[in-house]
Amino acid sequence: MLRLFYKLRQFQFSTTQFDPYVELGLNSTATIQEIKDAYIRLSKQYHPDINQQHDSHEKFKRIAEAYNILKKAKFEEQLKEEFKQYYYSAQSEEQLFQEVFGFYFHEKPQEYYKPENAQKRHQYQEMLKKFKQQKNSTYDHQTESKNQKQDFSDIKINRKFEGHQGTKTNPQQIYTIIAFCSIAMGGVAFYITMLRKAPELQKEVINNQQIKILRQQTQLRHQQDIDNIKQMYSNINHTMLLFDPKCNSLDMLFNYTIFPDLEFYYVSPEIFYQDEKYFLKSDQFEKNAMRKSKLNYRITHAIEAERCLQNIFVPVEEVLNQIEKNGEYKPPGIFMQFYGYIYFKIRRKPIIVENLIKSKEYISLFDLYFYYQTPVPYYYDTLNEFQIFNDAGNTLSHWEGNVYFSTKSLDRFYLKGNVKNIFMQRPQQDSNTEQMYMLAWGNHFEHFQV
């Protein structure tokens, strides 16, 4: 009991007699740097890890408390002095900002947010608060003086109704109560709604095992897509020419497409609406050579024709039988509907015997006659069209139109017997799309008649 009373007396004495200057061994005129040096020196001396005396821990706490008190007091004194220095000369917030930072905010706004100006920002905010308080107090004093004059002039009227006024209600309090009630009602409504939907939400919860299965399925699907792409483009490196994007339109047509080895014709749209679905047995139909077509359409048709040849497969045995019987293989003609009603055939050229020997049952018409694929669609793989110029390396070159790529998938044809002509795309008759297509390209057959 006596020990408790002694400690209580000691605690009261320590709290009542606490002097931060005495704790740090300084006088009241000490600067902030002297306070900092004394704190560092004494904290090293009385740190519990260094000083093993029984009261070192208490002494260390008192030193830290004294340093915090003096540091805050000195900072406030410095802030007051600077505020007195700048405030009385400042007539506006902009001028106060200029007095503290040395420039106006609109001149160097980025300087205000730099880390080295953190103390100035704090100083400016404190001074701005006092500046506004001073302005508000001045305004309130002027307003109060005006109200006093008005009250004195109406004092008789106010006294007449003094007993019937009652208590006045602040509108701000009413708005606060209404807002609080609205928030409370909204919270209750949301809680009731969630209680009603709780069973449905529990049904939609996915456990960790289901998440793991979905993740594995997604990874497997992604890997399968990668394998398909690798398989699709596995032979591109050695079956494709290196493409020079600076080539002009004429070089692109003759050096990077199979256009020189094909014969293109415009045909009548009526051929595409005959009874034959995929094959046309007769060669007796009217066609006009494509001699006045622009370069961009020639490149477009050559690229699409290559796609068609890659999807038409002929039996290897049939090719060998025709070569033994006639001395050559005559490939079928192909109808396609792409930027016109087109018919094309492969010119007379030798077949690639190496590819024919490597094939087992079927070989595509493209592999039968051509070594290299066109690199143009793979170079512009993210586009559906691109511009061509008569001289791509010259700044004075002029535009010669756009080359277009087809995004539609083509059916694969495995031919049997001697087929003369094939329809790659058959239009849907009497459809709005087909009517618009005929308006745009139906007159090319008559226009290019020779």
Side-chain angles (χ1 to χ4, degrees):
M1 192 70 180
L2 291 174
R3 183 175 295 178
L4 180 62
F5 179 73
Y6 171 75
K7 286 191 173 293
L8 183 61
R9 288 287 304 274
Q10 188 179 6
F11 173 74
Q12 291 177 355
F13 177 77
S14 62
T15 53
T16 55
Q17 299 297 329
F18 183 78
D19 188 354
Y21 288 102
V22 176
E23 293 294 335
L24 297 179
L26 301 171
N27 52 21
S28 59
T29 60
T31 62
I32 186 65
Q33 186 62 35
E34 292 176 351
I35 295 171
K36 186 177 181 181
D37 295 340
Y39 168 69
I40 294 173
R41 175 173 51 80
L42 293 175
S43 60
K44 290 181 179 179
Q45 180 180 352
Y46 291 99
H47 196 279
D49 295 339
I50 300 174
N51 195 330
Q52 301 298 331
Q53 296 180 5
H54 66 278
D55 60 342
S56 61
H57 182 70
E58 186 66 26
K59 181 67 175 176
F60 182 77
K61 289 171 61 179
R62 292 166 66 87
I63 291 170
E65 184 179 359
Y67 174 69
N68 290 330
I69 293 173
L70 292 179
K71 182 176 69 172
K72 184 177 180 181
K74 289 295 181 182
F75 179 74
E76 291 179 354
E77 289 179 4
Q78 183 181 358
L79 190 63
K80 289 179 181 178
E81 292 296 331
E82 293 179 353
F83 177 75
K84 290 178 181 180
Q85 179 182 356
Y86 298 127
Y87 170 72
Y88 293 108
S89 60
Q91 301 297 326
S92 62
E93 296 181 15
E94 292 81 2
Q95 190 174 359
L96 182 63
F97 185 91
Q98 198 273 339
E99 291 287 346
V100 176
F101 286 90
F103 54 86
Y104 290 102
F105 179 78
H106 66 273
E107 295 177 348
K108 302 176 182 178
Q110 67 278 7
E111 294 289 335
Y112 176 77
Y113 299 100
K114 288 188 175 180
E116 56 266 22
N117 292 330
Q119 185 175 359
K120 288 186 177 181
R121 286 199 298 271
H122 182 71
Q123 174 187 348
Y124 170 70
Q125 294 295 335
E126 294 295 332
M127 294 171 63
L128 185 60
K129 288 180 183 177
K130 295 182 179 180
F131 184 81
K132 289 184 177 180
Q133 289 175 1
Q134 184 68 19
K135 290 181 66 176
N136 292 336
S137 63
T138 305
Y139 174 77
D140 293 340
H141 180 69
Q142 295 176 357
T143 307
E144 183 179 358
S145 62
K146 291 181 180 179
N147 292 335
Q148 287 178 356
K149 294 179 181 178
Q150 185 177 0
D151 291 340
F152 282 121
S153 62
D154 299 337
I155 189 168
K156 294 181 180 179
I157 301 175
N158 291 336
R159 285 181 178 178
K160 185 181 293 185
F161 295 96
E162 187 175 358
H164 304 280
Q165 287 181 354
T167 57
K168 294 183 179 179
T169 306
N170 189 359
Q172 188 66 29
Q173 296 178 355
I174 298 176
Y175 299 149
T176 305
I177 294 172
I178 294 174
F180 179 78
C181 294
S182 301
I183 295 172
M185 292 175 63
V188 172
F190 178 76
Y191 179 72
I192 295 173
T193 304
M194 294 302 295
L195 285 177
R196 292 179 178 176
K197 291 187 176 181
E200 299 178 2
L201 294 175
Q202 290 179 358
K203 294 179 181 179
E204 298 178 358
V205 172
I206 302 176
N207 55 27
N208 294 332
Q209 185 65 24
Q210 292 174 335
I211 293 175
K212 186 177 180 180
I213 294 174
L214 292 174
R215 189 174 298 166
Q216 291 176 354
Q217 292 176 355
T218 303
Q219 292 176 354
L220 183 63
R221 193 181 304 112
H222 180 65
Q223 185 63 35
Q224 187 176 1
D225 294 340
I226 294 176
D227 295 339
N228 292 337
I229 293 173
K230 287 182 179 179
Q231 183 179 3
M232 184 183 301
Y233 299 111
S234 58
N235 296 325
I236 284 180
N237 293 331
H238 64 275
T239 61
M240 184 177 295
L241 295 173
L242 293 178
F243 181 63
D244 182 13
K246 296 183 179 180
C247 65
N248 56 35
S249 56
L250 198 60
D251 290 338
M252 182 181 296
L253 178 66
F254 285 98
N255 297 335
Y256 296 107
T257 68
I258 60 174
F259 181 83
D261 296 316
L262 302 178
E263 295 179 359
F264 285 93
Y265 301 90
Y266 282 116
V267 295
S268 174
E270 298 177 358
I271 297 178
F272 286 79
Y273 299 108
Q274 294 184 3
D275 295 335
E276 289 83 354
K277 187 174 182 181
Y278 294 113
F279 307 107
L280 184 64
K281 298 179 181 179
S282 174
D283 284 336
Q284 304 299 322
F285 59 90
E286 191 174 359
K287 56 183 181 293
N288 294 329
M290 190 186 298
R291 296 182 179 179
K292 299 180 181 180
S293 180
K294 295 181 180 179
L295 283 176
N296 63 319
Y297 290 120
R298 291 175 186 249
I299 298 174
T300 299
H301 293 147
I303 294 173
E304 184 65 14
E306 182 175 320
R307 290 183 64 220
C308 296
L309 294 176
Q310 290 172 350
N311 287 275
I312 299 175
F313 294 83
V314 294
V316 176
E317 191 67 27
E318 179 67 24
V319 176
L320 295 176
N321 291 338
Q322 285 197 27
I323 292 175
E324 291 179 0
K325 184 178 180 180
N326 303 324
E328 63 176 358
Y329 174 71
K330 188 176 181 180
I334 300 170
F335 293 92
M336 69 176 185
Q337 185 192 24
F338 189 64
Y339 284 89
Y341 297 90
I342 310 298
Y343 175 78
F344 71 92
K345 298 184 68 174
I346 301 175
R347 298 179 187 271
R348 294 185 61 180
K349 60 176 299 185
I351 64 173
I352 301 176
V353 181
E354 298 176 0
N355 295 343
L356 184 64
I357 295 174
K358 292 179 183 178
S359 303
K360 295 182 179 180
E361 296 182 5
Y362 286 89
I363 183 173
S364 68
L365 289 178
F366 181 82
D367 293 334
L368 186 62
Y369 285 97
F370 302 96
Y371 280 104
Y372 299 106
Q373 303 179 42
T374 175
V376 178
Y378 299 97
Y379 185 81
Y380 300 98
D381 58 345
T382 59
L383 305 175
N384 292 332
E385 58 181 285
F386 67 95
Q387 300 177 349
I388 59 172
F389 300 89
N390 64 336
D391 189 359
N394 189 358
T395 57
L396 299 178
S397 61
H398 65 271
W399 173 65
E400 292 191 345
N402 289 9
V403 174
Y404 303 95
F405 300 136
S406 176
T407 57
K408 295 182 180 179
S409 60
L410 299 177
D411 296 331
R412 285 194 171 188
F413 289 88
Y414 291 88
L415 307 183
K416 292 182 180 180
N418 187 14
V419 179
K420 294 185 178 181
N421 301 295
I422 306 171
F423 289 96
M424 288 302 297
Q425 299 103 348
R426 294 304 301 266
Q428 296 181 358
Q429 300 184 18
D430 301 329
S431 64
N432 294 332
T433 305
E434 181 60 23
Q435 292 178 4
M436 294 294 295
Y437 198 89
M438 285 194 64
L439 288 175
W441 297 98
N443 59 349
H444 277 59
F445 173 68
E446 292 82 6
H447 181 71
F448 290 104
Q449 284 183 349
V450 180

